[in-house]
Amino acid sequence: MVLKVFFPSCCSSAESGILVGRWLSEQSSAVILAVVHFPFIPFQVKQYLSEVQRVTKVSVSVLGSWSNSKQEKEENLSKFLEDLGTIFSHEPWIQISKEGDSKFWSCSTFQKHSNNPKEEVILVYYDQRKVMLSHLHPPLDTTTSTDQETDDASKLSAIFHTVAKSKMLFMTDRYNDGPIKLTHWQSDGAEASIIVELMKQASVPACMLLAFLLSLVSGICRSRVLKFWPLSFLWRKLSTCEQLGHRLQHLQVISSNKKAQTQTQLMRKANIFVSLLIDVALGILLMSWLYRKNRIGHLADTLIPVADHVAEELQDLLQWLMGAPAGLKMNRALDQVLGRFFLYHIHLWISYIHLMSPFIEMILWYVGLSACLGLTVALCILSDIIALLTFHIYCFYVYGARLYCLKIYGLSSLWRLFRGKKWNVLRQRVDSCSYDLDQLFIGTLLFTILLFLLPTTALYYLVFALLRLLVVIVQGLIHLLVDLIDSLPLYSILLRLCRSYRLAAGVKFRVLEQQDGKPLRLLMQINPLSYGSVVQTYRLPTYSCYPKDSWTSLCKKLFLGELIYPWKHKGEKQD
């Protein structure tokens, strides 16, 4: 049987003493956590380890002895180290000794109540600090992983769990006044930063104040004032309101007094904090750029001519449709009625734009201030402005789609009449039906009228549907950018870039030295999680979701005249 000893590389130059760690019997492995130096009292060591075991819930015990050959020649501790196995009864008793400046170590095991021959030992070095701070992630694709890979992952997780849960053991360093002196990764003193400690102390009152303000804002949002029709409609339809509500939930998560229980919750809080911080920073940069060199005034002066140009182009398009577009012969009466109807709407829209022109610069000035709430809020406001500026195009599309849909469903119903069929509303199916002569005559007459009027209606619907699709694509790209900023786990990506060992996907072993009669020495190194897996694991949820319609469903909706929308929100019904 092969016995694996995981030895911390920080203890390779430690003075002689006893090895403290955890024995994993199911995988015949010993995880060394620290070295207790001489002099010590065995009773005090047992009492200290029992206290550590009670707090950490990890079965920590004395696993063997450690001998540094230089120290042993000076203090003559070889006999005492061999007799320690009788004081601390653990089987197998591991004896590791370092032979001067040689690269090779000797490692042996001793069992009193066993007749097994000498076991083969593999000495595995690991970086204790990296293993303790890292988080081992299970394989994402569990369907393709084999039983052997799952078993290996569980064995590794036991080792990582042992080191991570033994933080109390690492609080005792060599400068403590206590009776026990330890060597581990933090034995030269605990890592600390004055700036970090000051920020921790200052964050407590700041979080309390932020939590109070957020509770006040949340109470206002949940009040009955927002449930009245105009405000409730705007809150559900405007992207800006949705994004503000989403960021409000993020602030509540950050300022919550509830401590994160798991690594996933901690990473989620950190990702939300960094995402919010970068979002606000980009928004402030955008705001400073807008208010520099009077760019708001230039934008307001450009907006009115652009709106007039779009209206003029629509008027030219309608004049072209009212003639003979592409040489097609349309129904003259219906063509003139639809053309004048849409031209009247364009006239109303131009009047509305010119009526609002004196106030546009002031509106843009106040809208620009909202960029301090974040770049995503500014992008949502841009999406809402585009929706308002293209409202006439949306009206044209709705009129054309409803008229086209009415004719399509009318033709399909009359086509069933010719075949002696009808739609059964109660059973939701097509049943046979007998019609008299008058019904067939009226049906034939209506079918002929709708069929000959369909090309004119379909042409107007096609033109305005294409314009509507153009607006939908622009708004969809803006929402994709907002979702990218909201959902991207920036803290996890920065952690993967700067300290890749914190996000571990597994380990790899490198052979250091191998010689007959000596234990095989391996170095355990951490394999970091790939960037794609980091994004997939720690991606933040967003308030909106991608449209579920496939290309086939979208084409079907366009053919039947059903309305299409730029974005779908969770739990929201559409007309």
Side-chain angles (χ1 to χ4, degrees), residues 11-68:
C11 297
S12 57
S13 59
E15 299 175 358
S16 299
I18 55 176
L19 302 174
V20 175
R22 180 188 179 188
W23 172 253
L24 303 174
S25 58
E26 62 274 4
Q27 48 182 307
S28 300
S29 301
V31 182
I32 307 301
L33 298 174
V35 176
V36 180
H37 304 301
F38 300 109
F40 60 83
I41 300 175
F43 174 74
Q44 292 179 341
V45 174
K46 292 181 179 180
Q47 187 177 11
Y48 175 73
L49 293 182
S50 63
E51 180 67 19
V52 171
Q53 184 174 349
R54 184 185 64 82
V55 175
T56 62
K57 308 300 180 182
V58 177
S59 56
V60 181
S61 60
V62 178
L63 302 180
S65 62
W66 157 255
S67 172
N68 193 331

Side-chain angles (χ1 to χ4, degrees), residues 484-503:
L484 180 64
I485 298 175
D486 283 343
S487 64
L488 200 62
L490 297 175
Y491 175 77
S492 301
I493 294 175
L494 291 175
L495 197 64
R496 170 63 178 84
L497 181 64
C498 301
R499 295 185 176 183
S500 58
Y501 61 86
R502 295 288 299 271
L503 305 175

Side-chain angles (χ1 to χ4, degrees), residues 22 41 62 154 214 230 258 260 272 278 337 364 370-371 385 397 448 469 498 506 529 538 544 574:
R22 180 188 179 188
I41 300 175
V62 178
S154 63
L214 289 176
K258 187 178 180 181
I272 289 176
I278 294 179
V337 169
L364 290 179
S370 63
I385 290 176
Y397 165 70
T448 305
L469 282 176
C498 301
L529 206 64
Y538 295 106
S544 60
Q574 298 184 6

Side-chain angles (χ1 to χ4, degrees), residues 419-438:
R419 296 183 297 142
K421 306 285 185 180
K422 74 170 184 177
W423 175 254
N424 192 329
V425 181
L426 297 177
R427 298 189 177 183
Q428 294 293 308
R429 67 182 186 183
V430 177
D431 294 335
S432 300
C433 182
S434 59
Y435 299 96
D436 56 19
L437 187 59
D438 294 337

Side-chain angles (χ1 to χ4, degrees), residues 9 127 192 265 274 329 369 381 422 451 480 495 504 513 555:
S9 55
D127 192 323
Q265 295 178 359
V274 174
K329 185 176 181 180
L369 291 177
I381 291 177
K422 74 170 184 177
L451 183 62
L480 279 176
L495 197 64
E513 298 292 340
C555 293

